[in-house]
Amino acid sequence: MTQVPALPPSDRREPGEVFSSGFTLFADMLLVGLLTAAACLPVVTAPAAFAAASATLRRAAEDGVPVDTGTYAGHLRARLTRGSLAGGLAVPLLAGVLLVDSALARTTLPGAHVMAPALTLLTLGLAVVALRTTALPAPHALSPREGLLRSLADPRGTLLLAGAVVLAALLAWSIPVLIPLLPGPLVFAATAVDLRFTREGTDPAAGGGTRN
């Protein structure tokens, strides 16, 4: 009886696909989401936590490094700098300002009906830029300026991330028990968008040179 030889797993990517078929998407996002949620508990560590999650997924996509707790912890230690902690301090301050403005928008003050949608768009824009900032690789890691520039230079990716943020907000509002898992899909979306942006910018067929 002839034995059929086992074929090795294919690493071929379909056009436009960032992660190969061997990427254990669900399990990796689940683990990264839980680790990121736990690392965000001190609040000021949120930028470093999201950046470490993105770096972990990026290594899995580019180098095939498995996603595990040790890999994530190593990236987190490397990104816990004074700059990232200072950026983390801005998170509760900005949230407080938005909450105060939101409360004022619900009053009968002049212009309140305009302030509510403006605050919604501002919050969504800040969330998208923050996600793109945490997904940046070296030497632009956690650079708000680079995150803003890439958000403006890649409107398609920005719209995709905006949709991911809106979906995550709806899930958090309707099913609060999912909140600890939501960082995983958000980081995955930001990393995939940045990888595609980088590859399209360095592909001669996509634009004739490197996008800066």
Side-chain angles (χ1 to χ4, degrees):
M1 186 174 182
T2 306
Q3 183 178 3
V4 178
L7 296 177
S10 174
D11 191 44
R12 183 176 62 85
R13 292 181 174 88
E14 297 297 330
E17 185 180 11
V18 175
F19 295 94
S20 65
S21 58
F23 186 75
T24 53
L25 175 61
F26 179 77
D28 289 347
M29 283 200 306
L30 181 65
L31 177 60
V32 166
L34 290 173
L35 292 174
T36 305
C40 286
L41 289 178
V43 180
V44 295
T45 58
F50 273 81
S54 179
T56 303
L57 292 179
R58 186 182 292 270
R59 288 291 304 279
E62 295 180 338
D63 304 324
V65 178
V67 175
D68 54 32
T69 305
T71 303
Y72 178 85
H75 288 301
L76 181 61
R77 284 193 298 268
R79 284 156 180 79
L80 281 175
T81 63
R82 292 181 180 178
S84 68
L85 293 176
L89 287 175
V91 174
L93 293 177
L94 182 60
V97 171
L98 291 175
L99 287 175
V100 171
D101 289 342
S102 177
L104 292 175
R106 291 193 295 269
T107 65
T108 57
L109 293 175
H113 64 286
V114 178
M115 183 62 69
L119 280 175
T120 302
L121 292 176
L122 176 62
T123 304
L124 180 61
L126 289 174
V128 169
V129 173
L131 279 176
R132 296 209 72 146
T133 300
T134 57
L136 295 173
H140 303 296
L142 289 174
S143 169
R145 179 179 178 274
E146 183 66 20
L148 177 60
L149 290 176
R150 294 198 182 194
S151 299
L152 296 175
D154 181 25
R156 182 177 60 177
T158 298
L159 288 176
L160 289 173
L161 281 183
V165 171
V166 171
L167 180 59
L170 291 175
L171 287 174
W173 173 74
S174 59
I175 315 176
V177 72
L178 293 180
I179 291 177
L181 302 179
L182 293 179
L186 286 174
V187 170
F188 177 82
T191 307
V193 165
D194 191 74
L195 283 171
R196 281 183 175 168
F197 175 81
T198 304
R199 287 176 181 175
E200 289 177 1
T202 56
D203 183 1
T210 303
R211 180 184 296 161
N212 293 322

